[in-house]
Amino acid sequence: FDTGQRVTIHGLTSDKARAYNGMSGFVASPLDSKTGRYGVKLEGRDHTLAVKPDNLDPESLDPRKLRFGLGDRVACNCSNEGWERGKVVQLLYSEMGSVHPYQVLLDNGRYIFAPADDDDLIRRPSDAPVEDKS
């Protein structure tokens, strides 16, 4: 699985983990060679789960389920640079064999993609933290 790929969890059997079966999210960290698990960030949850590849199914992106449309103003989490404003310029953007929900043209002129349709990565500008860039 690629980082940012949407997945559904299945086949978990422990009492605690069974509750996660059927939940969707995205691969947040690559396969850990020591544990043999991916880090998976579930929709609407703050934490990341460590899940074996056999317990993950890839999801295809459905443009009808995306939260933003072409031309929508968004804020993107650009890691070290913080939240940057921009607009959606392409849905289901493909790069190097992976499909991402959005390509965004940032107000600073840079093009980026959102690897998943998740509030931790892309949201309405009014919901993003205000950052002091001075």
Side-chain angles (χ1 to χ4, degrees), residues 4 15 19 31 37-38 42 44 47 50-51 67 69 77 79 81 92 97 106 111 115-116 120-121 129 133:
D15 289 339
L31 186 66
R37 297 168 190 255
Y38 288 96
L42 296 177
H47 62 281
V51 184
R67 295 177 298 149
N77 186 345
S79 260
E81 293 108 37
L92 305 181
L106 298 177
Y111 285 89
D120 287 342
L121 303 171
K133 302 265 182 179

Side-chain angles (χ1 to χ4, degrees), residues 59-121:
E59 284 186 9
S60 59
L61 286 170
D62 182 346
R64 297 169 298 180
K65 294 182 180 179
L66 295 176
R67 295 177 298 149
F68 304 108
L70 287 175
D72 283 355
R73 296 284 303 159
V74 294
C76 298
N77 186 345
C78 295
S79 260
N80 295 338
E81 293 108 37
W83 288 90
E84 299 279 346
R85 284 10 184 213
K87 74 175 180 177
V88 175
V89 294
Q90 186 174 340
L91 302 177
L92 305 181
Y93 172 70
S94 179
E95 182 174 289
M96 296 180 5
S98 295
V99 178
H100 310 284
Y102 308 105
Q103 183 182 39
V104 176
L105 173 59
L106 298 177
D107 292 348
N108 65 16
R110 199 171 95 208
Y111 285 89
I112 64 166
F113 64 85
D117 189 7
D118 184 89
D119 257 359
D120 287 342
L121 303 171

Side-chain angles (χ1 to χ4, degrees), residues 2-25:
D2 294 323
T3 302
Q5 185 173 357
R6 291 197 48 80
V7 293
T8 300
I9 295 175
H10 68 89
L12 301 179
T13 57
S14 74
D15 289 339
K16 184 178 178 183
R18 233 186 325 237
Y20 296 112
N21 287 330
M23 290 188 173
S24 294

